[in-house]
Amino acid sequence: MTDGVYDTCRVRNYQTLLVFLCNLSLSFMRVISNIGVMESVKTRDKVMLFDTIIKNVEIVDGTNEASYHADLAIKQDRIAKIGDLAGFEASKIIDGQGQVLSPGFIDVHTHDDTNVIRYPDCLPKISQGVTTVIVGNCGISASPATLHVAPPDPMNLLGKQEDFKYPTFAEYATAVEQAEPAVNVAALIGHTTLRNNVMDELLREASEDELQAMQTALAQAMAEGALGLSSGLAYASAKQATASEVMRLAEVLAEFGGIYTTHMRTEFEEILSAMEEAFETGLHARVPVVISHLKCAGAGNWGRTVEVLDLLEKTAKHQDVSCDCYPYSASSSTLDLKQVTDDFDIFITWSETKPEYAGQLLADIAKQMDLPLMEAAKAIQPAGAVYHCMDEADVERVLKHKLTMVGSDGLPNDPHPHPRLWGTFPKILNHYCKDRGLFPLEEAVHKMTGMSAKRYNLANRGVIKEGAFADLVLFNKHNVRDTATFESPISVADGIECVFVNGNISYQNKSVANKRFGRFIYRDSKNCS
C-alpha cells in the first residue's frame, strides 16, 4: 500500500471516529438537556404542589395539646401538610417569624345575622381573628321571618323591618352565599322569630295550632341546614312561652341532630331554677344544651357562680351540657325595665324617642329629666343599654371552667356598642391568658376553636391538622391585645397579623382583603366534611 493510500484510509478512519465522537457528544448533550427538562418539570411541580407555605411558626392546634414548632402548607381551601417543609416550594411563602399560628376563632354567640349580608367585610370579627360566626342566638334570627310591622324587642337588635326578608332558612343561606362575607356563617333558628311569625300577640302562651305551625317551620329550617334552636326566655316577647312549648319545639331537633341554646329565663336570683328548666328541655328532647353567656347578674347575685358551675358540672356527668361566656363584667341589650336599678351603672347606647340622651348614664339622664330612675327609663324607650351588672371574679370563674366556650354576644347595629363586639378574642389572649394567667395559651385557643367546632358539629374546622379547612390566624402572642373600650368601643385589635379563611388571606395589616372567601356552613353538608 502506498503512503498516499495509507494516509487516505487513516483520514477516513479519523473522520469516522470524529463523526462517532460528535454523535456521542450530541447524544450526551440530549441526555443532559432532558435531565434539565425533567428537573425543570419537577421544579414546576414543586411550585404548584402548594399554594401557600407558612414557615417558622408556633402551632397551637386547637385541641388543647401542647404547642409545637413547624411549617404549614395550604392547597386550595385545606391544610395540606405540616412539618419541616424546607425542601418544598409554593406560590406564596410567609415567614411566620416564630409567631403563633392557630385555627381561626369561632364566635359561637353572635347577632351578625343581617350584618354578614349588609356589611360583608365583617371587620369587627375578622380583625379579631374570627373566621366563623354562629348567628341566630337568644331566640332571635333573621330567618325564617315574615314581618309586616317593625320587629319587636329584641328582634330589633338585628335590624329594621326591611332587613327581615328571608321567609325561609334556605333563602337566608342563599343571601349569605351571594353576599360572600369575609367569614364563614352558620345559623340557629330563633324561638322568638318563630313565635312572631304565627302569633298576633307575643305576651301570651302559644295555642296548639300556633305551636304546630312553629314546629313545621323549625323542621323545614333544620332540613335546610340550620344548626338548631335558640331561645331568649328572659325577654318579654318569649317570657310567656311555657316550658312545654319550648320542649315540644326542641323535640324537632332530635331527628336532625340539632342543638338547643338558651338565654335563660333569668340570670338573677332564680338562676338555678332557670338552668334546671334548660337542662330538662334538653333531656326531654334528647339534644345537647348550651347555656348562653352564663353569668350571675345583679349585685345581690355576685359570687354565686360557685353553685351555678357546680350544677352545670353535676348535670354534665349524665347529660350533654355546656355554656359560652364573654370576657367582660358588663352585659348589653335593649333597655329592660326589669333590670333598671341603682345598684350598678346603666349606660344608654341609643334611644329612639330621646336620641339626645344616648351616650350617657341612665342615672344622669334621670337627673336631667328630673324624674325617678324608672320613669326616666320608660321615657327613653325603646333604647339600648350596657349594664355593669357582674362581678369580675364571677366572670373569671366561668371563663376558666372546662365546659365554657368563648362567644362575643356583640351587637353590631348598636351605634355605641359594647367593646365585646371588637375585643372579645384578643382580650382572652392578652388579659386573661397572658396577664391574669387564667389558663395556658393552648387552653385559651381551644375554648375559641376546637371546643366550639366540636360542640356545633363544624367538622374539619377549629383544629390544625392535615385535611382540615385552612381557617387560620397568625398572631403575635406578646403583642396581641384588644383596644376597644367602653368609652371608644370601635377599634381593631393589635397583634392579629394575618387571617386565612378557607385557604385565602382575608385580613392583613389591619385591612380586609379585596376579595372575600367566607362560606355558609350547613349542618351535615359537604362544607362540613
Side-chain angles (χ1 to χ4, degrees), residues 18 58 115 143-144 167 241 363 368 384 499 508:
L18 183 60
E58 178 185 356
N115 291 69
S143 76
Q368 294 172 49
V499 181
Q508 196 173 28

Side-chain angles (χ1 to χ4, degrees), residues 216-323:
T216 299
L218 178 58
Q220 179 182 339
M222 293 300 295
E224 292 169 349
L227 296 180
L229 174 72
S230 76
S231 66
L233 302 175
Y235 293 101
S237 51
K239 193 79 172 178
Q240 299 306 314
T242 63
S244 175
E245 175 182 320
V246 182
M247 285 181 182
R248 289 182 61 187
L249 285 172
E251 289 172 4
V252 174
L253 306 176
E255 64 178 291
F256 296 98
I259 192 170
Y260 173 59
T261 75
T262 180
H263 179 154
M264 300 181 296
R265 287 193 187 275
T266 183
E267 297 165 329
F268 289 80
E269 285 75 14
E270 299 300 317
I271 186 172
L272 293 180
S273 61
M275 290 176 69
E276 287 169 350
E277 178 188 344
F279 297 152
E280 287 170 7
T281 299
L283 187 63
H284 169 83
R286 305 185 311 281
V287 297
V289 176
V290 175
I291 304 296
S292 297
H293 41 60
L294 183 60
K295 68 174 77 71
C296 285
N301 221 23
W302 292 350
R304 293 187 64 203
T305 50
V306 173
E307 54 186 308
V308 163
L309 291 171
D310 182 61
L311 176 59
L312 179 69
E313 197 162 331
K314 286 179 178 177
T315 305
K317 291 179 180 178
H318 58 82
Q319 193 178 340
D320 192 351
V321 298
S322 57
C323 68

Side-chain angles (χ1 to χ4, degrees), residues 11 18 57 80 170 177 226 235 328-329 337 427 431 445 482 493 516:
V11 169
L18 183 60
V57 289
E177 290 174 333
Y235 293 101
Y328 297 86
S329 59
L337 298 181
K427 185 174 183 181
H431 180 67
V445 169
D482 56 309
R516 303 182 297 268

Side-chain angles (χ1 to χ4, degrees), residues 445-476:
V445 169
H446 177 57
K447 285 176 171 289
M448 303 189 292
T449 58
M451 182 189 294
S452 305
K454 184 176 180 180
R455 172 74 289 160
Y456 286 89
N457 292 320
L458 308 180
N460 285 318
R461 296 190 190 272
V463 293
I464 290 181
K465 65 178 182 180
E466 293 181 3
F469 286 99
D471 293 340
L472 303 164
V473 55
L474 183 68
F475 64 90
N476 187 319

Side-chain angles (χ1 to χ4, degrees), residues 361-384:
L361 293 175
L362 179 59
D364 293 337
I365 295 170
K367 289 178 182 178
Q368 294 172 49
M369 299 179 78
D370 195 22
L371 290 172
L373 198 67
M374 182 62 72
E375 295 306 310
K378 291 178 181 177
I380 64 174
Q381 281 192 310

